[in-house]
Amino acid sequence: MMSEDRVSVRAVSLERGTARPVGEIAVIDDDRALLELTLMAVRDSGYRAIGFSDPLDALMWASDADPTCIVADLKMPGVEGLDLVAAFCALNRHAVIIVSAFVDVRMTVDAMRLGVDNVLPKPTTGESLIRAIEQGAAALQVAPPREELTFTRRESQVAEMLVGGMTTKQIAQSLSLSPRTVEFFRASLLRKTQSPNSAALASALTRIGFRAS
């Protein structure tokens, strides 16, 4: 996720005196070596940090976490395109930073429309990463978190099919997704609606206004 050049990041960060976000910084990358390198740089800069190599685990954590910065790789196994960061943005309380080797103008524009705070090329320097985290932390302090319930496009599609009684396999076939990806969105819907099981989820989605597609 970042280059070996970690340039005295701790000194840069502490001299600026930027206030820290409430919770741990979350770093998501399926490359474990890069994940550990990024976590080390973030911690060396005075932040607490937690790492994830599984996008579903990261989403489950982010659903309950205090407002903080999330640093996410774009290409994750089992999740397509911007779906992962869209799910984070839809929580409406975290600053989301993308670090990706697939940065281009179109992707950056699409990401910003979702609510992403920053997009960095991969590999990035430690100083660039910490600067983005500091900017995200500052944004969290001036913009109170929004609590309204929002859903990504994929979540809405899955919700309609769940209300219609479709199974994970059927939804996956209909949307040309893997069953693992469907479970990712189903888990997100469970957390957002605070539903304990699938039956309660279908009921909650119906009350919200979802109808079978």
Side-chain angles (χ1 to χ4, degrees), residues 5-60:
D5 178 17
R6 289 176 41 219
V7 211
S8 187
V9 182
R10 182 183 179 85
V12 172
S13 179
L14 297 181
E15 284 174 7
R16 288 176 184 159
T18 304
R20 300 295 186 234
V22 176
E24 295 175 295
I25 305 297
V27 180
I28 303 106
D29 198 316
D30 61 312
D31 185 320
R32 292 186 179 274
L34 288 177
L35 175 62
E36 291 302 320
L37 181 62
T38 305
L39 286 171
M40 187 181 303
V42 173
R43 289 165 180 160
D44 283 351
S45 300
Y47 292 94
R48 293 178 298 127
I50 183 170
F52 298 93
S53 56
D54 185 286
L56 181 55
D57 289 344
L59 179 61
M60 298 289 278

Side-chain angles (χ1 to χ4, degrees), residues 93-124:
R93 66 174 180 274
H94 301 302
V96 181
I97 301 163
I98 294 176
V99 181
S100 174
F102 303 94
V103 173
D104 57 33
V105 174
R106 180 175 179 179
M107 187 278 290
T108 300
V109 170
D110 289 344
M112 292 301 181
R113 285 174 177 167
L114 289 172
V116 167
D117 290 73
N118 215 321
V119 179
L120 302 176
K122 183 180 183 180
T124 190

Side-chain angles (χ1 to χ4, degrees), residues 161 167-180 182:
M161 293 179 180
T167 66
T168 294
K169 184 177 180 180
Q170 289 171 332
I171 295 172
Q173 291 175 340
S174 178
L175 296 178
S176 299
L177 300 174
S178 69
R180 172 67 173 169
V182 174

